Amino acid sequence: MVSGETVIMEPKRQVGQGCCTPIRPRLEDEAARDAANLLKALAEPARLQILDILVQRGGLVCVCDFEGVVGTPDPKTGQRPKQPTISHHLKVLREAGLVGYEKQGLWAYYFVHRERLADVQAVLALLT
Amino acid sequence: MVSGETVIMEPKRQVGQGCCTPIRPRLEDEAARDAANLLKALAEPARLQILDILVQRGGLVCVCDFEGVVGTPDPKTGQRPKQPTISHHLKVLREAGLVGYEKQGLWAYYFVHRERLADVQAVLALLT
DNA sequence: ACTATGCATTGACGAACATCGATATAAAGC
DNA sequence: GCTTTATATCGATGTTCGTCAATGCATAGT
C-alpha cells in the first residue's frame, strides 16, 4: 500500500473532538434493508445457477430440471442438493420477487422476473 | 397467473422418464461460489451504507465516520451498531476485496475497490 | 380405487452470522 | 514513564441459513 508515501491533505484533526464531518448515507435505512434482502436472495450458488438456467432457457422451466444440476456438490458424497432443497431455494427466490411460476398439471414451471433483477442492478449502479 | 389460459407448446412429456432435456448452468460451480461470496458480503444494510458513504465521499474515510451512522437501528433501543460491529463489517468487506485501507497514525482510512464492484455487476449482467 | 409422480412443506440439525461487552494493540500527547 | 484515543480482536449469545428425511398433496395413468 506504500503507506510511507501517501500524503493525505487532511489538515488538523484534533483527537477527541470527532475526526470527521458528520455524514449520512444516501441509502436510507429502509432502502438499504430492501436492497440487502434482494442481494441475500441472490447470494447463494444454487440460486444463482437456477436464475442462470431460467435466463438461459428464456422461458418456463420445470423444477425437475434443477435437480442434481444446481448447487455446490457435497464435498464428501459429491451429490448436489436434492428436491426439497431446490424447492426451498425456489421459495426464497419467489418471496424475493425474483421468479414466478405457473402450475400445469403435475409440473411447476418457473420463470424470471427481469424487472426485479433490474432493481438489484440499479442499487449497485448507485455505488459506482 | 391466469393459469386457466396459458398454453405451453408442451409436447409429450412422459411421466417417469424425466420431464425435460438435461441442462447445465453456464455459471460453473466455482464461478457461482465466488459470485455468491461477493454478493453475501454486499447483502447487509450496514455494509451497503458503508460502501455508499465511501463512494459518496469519493476518497478516504476513517472508521469513526461510520459509527452511529450506518446499520439498522435496534428496534428496542433505537441504537445503531457500535464500533466492534462496524469493524467487523469492514473486515468482511476487506476480505471480499471490496474495500482497502491505509493506516495513518491512529486512524484507518478506507476506500472502495471499484473493480470489485464491477465484478459483481458483470455477474448480474449475465442474468439479463 | 389404487399407485406412482412432481412438487411443497415441516421439523430437525449443524454451520454461519450479527451483535455485544471486554480486552488488546498501537500511536499521540503529556 | 502514563493516559488517552482509534481501531482491531476475542468470546459469548441469539438468530438466521442450508440441508436433509419424512410427510403431505395434488394430478396422471392404470
Side-chain angles (χ1 to χ4, degrees), chain A residues 34-52 71-72 88-89 92-94 96 98 117 120 124, chain B residues 27 29-45 47-48 92 96 98 120 123-124 127:
Chain A
D34 291 349
N37 283 337
L38 257 184
L39 288 166
K40 215 168 291 189
L42 286 174
E44 226 281 342
R47 298 201 279 268
L48 283 177
Q49 290 179 320
I50 286 175
L51 287 174
D52 181 26
T72 316
H88 161 71
H89 286 310
V92 173
L93 290 172
R94 251 158 43 211
L98 285 164
L117 275 175
V120 184
L124 290 188
Chain B
L27 211 53
D29 291 348
E30 199 186 353
R33 193 169 39 73
D34 292 349
N37 283 337
L38 257 183
L39 288 166
K40 213 167 293 190
L42 286 174
E44 226 280 343
R47 297 200 282 267
L48 283 177
V92 173
L98 284 164
V120 183
V123 174
L124 291 188
L127 306 179

Side-chain angles (χ1 to χ4, degrees), chain A residues 1 3 6-8 10 13-16 18-33 35-37 39-46 48-53 55-57 60-65 68-73 80 100-104 106-107 109 111-114 117 120-121 123-128, chain B residues 1 3 6-8 10 13-16 18-33 35-37 39-46 48-53 55-57 60-65 68-73 80 100-104 106-107 109 111-114 117 120-121 123-128:
Chain A
M1 246 3 118
S3 66
T6 38
V7 175
I8 318 179
E10 214 49 48
R13 281 180 177 172
Q14 329 244 351
V15 175
C19 59
C20 314
T21 38
I23 194 172
R24 292 279 321 145
R26 297 164 299 183
L27 212 52
E28 298 295 339
D29 290 349
E30 199 185 353
R33 191 168 40 75
N37 283 337
L39 288 166
K40 215 168 291 189
L42 286 174
E44 226 281 342
L48 283 177
Q49 290 179 320
I50 286 175
L51 287 174
D52 181 26
I53 288 182
V55 169
Q56 186 178 171
R57 281 281 185 94
L60 302 162
V61 181
C62 79
V63 178
C64 63
D65 274 328
V69 169
V70 301
T72 316
R80 294 182 194 273
Y101 78 121
E102 304 171 4
K103 202 83 178 281
Q104 292 272 331
L106 281 180
W107 288 279
Y109 294 93
F111 54 89
V112 181
H113 278 311
R114 285 197 164 77
L117 275 175
V120 184
Q121 291 175 308
V123 174
L124 290 188
L126 260 184
L127 306 180
T128 309
Chain B
M1 272 321 151
S3 67
T6 38
V7 175
I8 321 181
E10 212 49 49
R13 280 182 177 169
Q14 328 245 352
V15 175
C19 59
C20 315
T21 37
I23 193 171
R24 293 278 323 143
R26 296 164 302 183
L27 211 53
E28 300 295 338
D29 291 348
E30 199 186 353
R33 193 169 39 73
N37 283 337
L39 288 166
K40 213 167 293 190
L42 286 174
E44 226 280 343
L48 283 177
Q49 290 179 320
I50 286 175
L51 287 174
D52 181 25
I53 288 182
V55 169
Q56 187 179 169
R57 281 280 185 96
L60 302 162
V61 181
C62 78
V63 178
C64 64
D65 273 329
V69 169
V70 301
T72 315
R80 296 183 192 273
Y101 78 120
E102 304 171 4
K103 204 80 179 280
Q104 292 273 331
L106 281 181
W107 288 280
Y109 294 92
F111 54 89
V112 182
H113 278 311
R114 286 197 162 76
L117 276 175
V120 183
Q121 291 176 309
V123 174
L124 291 188
L126 259 185
L127 306 179
T128 309

